Amino acid sequence: MIKNLSILSKSRFMAGLQCPLRLWYQCYNRELAATVSPMQQALFDTGHQVGLLATKRHSNGILIKEDHLHHEEAVQSTIAAMKNPKIGAIFEAAYTENGVRVRADIVERVSAGRWNLIEVKSSTGVKEEHRTDVAVQYHVLQTAGLDLDRVFLMHINREYVFDGGEVDLAEFLILEELTNDAIALQGFVHEKLIIFKQMLSADTPPVIQPSRHCHQPYPCEFWEHCTRNTPENWIFELSGIRKERFEDLTAEGVITINDIPDFFPLTAIQRRIRDCVVESHEYIDSALREALVDVRFPVHFLDFETIMPAIPRYAGTRPYQTLPFQWSDHILYPDGKIEHREFLCDEDIDPRVNFTQSLLDTLGDKGTIFIYTTYEQRILRELADYLPHCADQLNQLHGRFVDLCALIKTHYYHPVFHGSFSLKFVLPALIPEMDYQDLAIQEGGMASLEYLRMIDPKTPAAEKKAIQKNLLAYCGQDTLAMVRVRDVLLEKLQKLL
């Protein structure tokens, strides 16, 4: 392996703070990274879109076009742009100092020789990692000789309400000053750079065990590689285990749930999981039967799909506002008959009015409504605020809801759950022949992405048709799954009598 100490960058510095091994792999073993998921790519795309909007706040700015593979050329283009007094802002400005490369989102000319640094994020506020982010850039830009006046983080204003025309960039994006934070963190940045460079000059990678840090503040792309040899029933799968507890067990050499000592402090659910794993059996509480049969017909099994666009799409909406576009309802009648109804908004319009009216029509004014988690109830409360003329009907639905996930979490566990009560884990454990593997869409995040692709005018008609079919199949699977899960649990309870 050829060592190259001029390989640090801002993003790699941040990766090193999360995990030194992640930094090592980014520098020397990129091939071990998992393929970027559609969800992760969507986050990258959102950041790029917000970044583009941010540049439009500067009418006399210039983009440094060279990509990361041509960093030194980008540095030269940046130097040339800084020398031109007619250029008021530089986007993707490139600098290399002390073996560290950065691309600054925006450097803004304040006066002759003085500059502001502006980092753009698609978040709705300042996070702790953002302070370190700008501090690294501050270090490199100052070392490069820039006379920095102020440092800002530009982020999305969640309270901004879109009027349906052009996005008001002055309202949509907020500037928060982080100059003092950047200055205060310079000693920390300098110290970490020394540590990282020493680590990268070693012959072998650091030894780091997978833990909670692998997902905080960002999911690590090397997670699959680092956990490829973890044993079945790894303690990480213990539902709700805190970082401190996980590390206590690891320090004691406890790797699997089976080996957790009886005296170790666990929550009631964690102890149930441990006992089920140790004894290789399921847990079922007879009290679950009453909760499942205490229903009023017709019994509804309901699921929603939603989108949360960072950049508002429809008049009257805010950034990241949850907009429901699809519902599925499997209806069970007293004679055992099951009917399926569904709704999917297939136009590029605010879906909430049609969604709400169609939903109220199918739910009527009677019958128990099973849901999986309380997510649907939150959506209904937001719809009631948006549609006051429907508020009474929507609010009356809450008294009819039963959270099937909560019932399972309280009264049932199967070792195949692997610590998760998600329907995607519960269903294969109870009904192995019914899973999501054959579906084109297998989880809610992908449903949201596919919906946005379906309503995109640039998507071909045949592709739109296929996406529509896939969305209906996925949401329908969720509600049919609830029907089947309830049936199987009742069958198991019947055997206890």
Side-chain angles (χ1 to χ4, degrees):
M1 181 188 300
I2 299 174
K3 291 291 192 296
N4 176 7
L5 295 186
S6 299
I7 52 177
L8 278 176
S9 64
K10 182 195 72 171
S11 61
R12 286 179 175 176
F13 181 95
M14 299 301 292
L17 289 183
Q18 180 170 343
C19 175
L21 184 57
R22 184 183 182 199
L23 171 57
W24 177 281
Y25 283 154
Q26 284 191 359
C27 292
Y28 301 132
N29 298 107
R30 287 295 307 176
E31 73 281 0
L32 300 178
T35 303
V36 176
S37 69
M39 286 299 298
Q40 192 64 39
Q41 187 58 53
L43 291 175
F44 294 152
D45 293 344
T46 294
H48 181 66
Q49 291 163 7
V50 172
L52 284 177
L53 287 178
T55 64
K56 294 180 180 179
R57 291 181 51 153
H58 299 270
S59 58
N60 58 345
I62 185 173
L63 172 67
I64 304 302
K65 296 180 180 179
E66 291 89 351
D67 63 19
H68 69 285
L69 297 176
H70 300 85
H71 185 80
E72 291 312 311
E73 293 91 333
V75 171
Q76 295 307 312
S77 295
T78 300
I79 293 172
M82 291 175 64
K83 291 178 179 178
N84 185 346
K86 294 181 179 179
I87 295 175
I90 306 171
F91 314 132
E92 292 296 319
Y95 303 91
T96 301
E97 293 295 333
N98 196 21
V100 185
R101 301 178 310 202
V102 300
R103 295 296 291 261
D105 288 336
I106 302 173
V107 287
E108 176 186 53
R109 193 186 301 271
V110 179
S111 60
R114 290 184 66 77
W115 301 84
N116 286 338
L117 168 64
I118 303 173
E119 173 67 11
V120 183
K121 297 293 185 185
S122 58
S123 65
T124 57
V126 178
K127 299 179 180 179
E128 198 57 40
E129 57 267 25
H130 296 160
R131 303 179 195 280
T132 311
D133 186 310
V134 297
V136 176
Q137 295 182 68
Y138 187 94
H139 168 82
V140 174
L141 269 61
Q142 272 219 320
T143 306
L146 267 74
D147 186 358
L148 288 174
D149 188 30
R150 302 165 77 186
V151 178
F152 295 95
L153 185 86
M154 183 181 287
H155 64 79
I156 293 174
N157 173 17
R158 194 158 194 168
E159 300 307 312
Y160 167 68
V161 179
F162 182 46
D163 65 6
E166 291 291 323
V167 173
D168 185 340
L169 298 179
E171 293 293 326
F172 176 64
L173 295 169
I174 292 176
L175 277 173
E176 289 201 39
E177 185 170 357
L178 297 181
T179 310
N180 291 338
D181 300 82
I183 294 172
L185 286 168
Q186 288 309 294
F188 172 80
V189 170
H190 179 71
E191 178 184 346
K192 285 296 181 181
L193 283 173
I194 294 173
I195 293 172
F196 291 157
K197 289 178 180 180
Q198 289 176 341
M199 184 269 290
L200 290 171
S201 68
D203 293 328
T204 57
V207 178
I208 308 289
Q209 295 300 322
S211 183
R212 295 291 174 189
H213 70 266
C214 300
H215 302 278
Q216 298 168 349
Y218 306 109
C220 176
E221 65 272 36
F222 302 103
W223 169 258
E224 292 180 13
H225 172 77
C226 291
T227 59
R228 68 195 184 286
N229 295 323
T230 52
E232 187 176 9
N233 298 315
W234 181 30
I235 55 172
F236 190 85
E237 297 177 354
L238 196 61
S239 179
I241 187 169
R242 300 199 311 272
K243 178 177 180 289
E244 297 77 13
R245 295 289 192 216
F246 178 88
E247 292 176 352
D248 288 344
L249 286 169
T250 302
E252 293 296 324
V254 177
I255 304 300
T256 67
I257 294 172
N258 317 54
D259 297 329
I260 297 176
D262 289 337
F263 60 81
F264 191 82
L266 298 173
T267 66
I269 289 177
Q270 289 171 348
R271 188 155 297 280
R272 181 183 306 153
I273 291 172
R274 174 195 172 276
D275 293 346
C276 286
V277 169
V278 169
E279 299 170 19
S280 297
H281 70 70
E282 64 184 358
Y283 165 86
I284 189 163
D285 181 356
S286 59
L288 178 59
R289 177 179 176 80
E290 182 178 353
L292 292 175
V293 300
D294 183 19
V295 297
R296 295 185 179 182
F297 289 94
V299 180
H300 300 265
F301 297 82
L302 185 66
D303 182 63
F304 296 167
E305 301 301 332
T306 62
I307 53 173
M308 295 175 60
I311 302 171
R313 196 178 186 99
Y314 307 113
T317 63
R318 300 184 305 278
Y320 292 113
Q321 183 168 348
T322 308
L323 304 176
F325 63 84
Q326 180 180 11
W327 57 257
S328 173
D329 182 20
H330 272 86
I331 308 168
L332 173 65
Y333 294 96
D335 61 359
K337 175 188 172 185
I338 295 178
E339 178 187 1
H340 181 221
R341 299 180 188 175
E342 59 191 356
F343 168 83
L344 173 62
C345 180
D346 58 3
E347 299 177 75
D348 188 8
I349 59 173
D350 188 334
R352 290 176 293 175
V353 172
N354 293 339
F355 176 98
T356 303
Q357 191 54 62
S358 61
L359 180 67
L360 290 174
D361 288 345
T362 198
L363 294 178
D365 58 3
K366 60 182 179 180
T368 298
I369 306 171
F370 278 99
I371 51 178
Y372 208 85
T373 77
T374 58
Y375 184 69
E376 281 72 17
Q377 288 184 277
R378 179 172 76 79
I379 301 303
L380 291 182
R381 283 191 287 270
E382 293 176 2
L383 288 173
D385 290 338
Y386 174 63
L387 302 169
H389 63 285
C390 296
D392 288 344
Q393 285 178 279
L394 289 168
N395 291 331
Q396 286 169 10
L397 295 174
H398 292 286
R400 297 163 56 188
F401 282 112
V402 174
D403 181 358
L404 184 58
C405 179
L407 291 181
I408 292 173
K409 198 168 187 177
T410 303
H411 300 291
Y412 183 77
Y413 188 77
H414 194 293
V416 180
F417 287 4
H418 292 288
S420 173
F421 292 92
S422 163
L423 193 56
K424 307 304 182 292
F425 282 83
V426 169
L427 188 61
L430 293 175
I431 312 158
E433 69 275 12
M434 187 180 181
D435 60 29
Y436 291 76
Q437 297 307 309
D438 294 332
L439 296 180
I441 297 172
Q442 299 179 5
E443 49 90 24
M446 179 57 71
S448 301
L449 295 180
E450 286 294 276
Y451 177 72
L452 290 171
R453 200 160 66 85
M454 184 187 76
I455 61 176
D456 188 330
K458 297 189 292 293
T459 302
E463 210 168 319
K464 288 176 182 283
K465 206 91 172 146
I467 295 172
Q468 182 180 40
K469 179 182 177 182
N470 293 336
L471 284 168
L472 293 172
Y474 169 71
C475 198
Q477 171 93 333
D478 273 351
T479 52
L480 180 59
M482 285 191 279
V483 175
R484 295 291 306 280
V485 165
R486 176 177 177 269
D487 287 345
V488 170
L489 289 174
L490 285 173
E491 290 170 8
K492 289 178 177 291
L493 288 160
Q494 184 65 28
K495 294 176 182 179
L496 297 179
L497 298 179

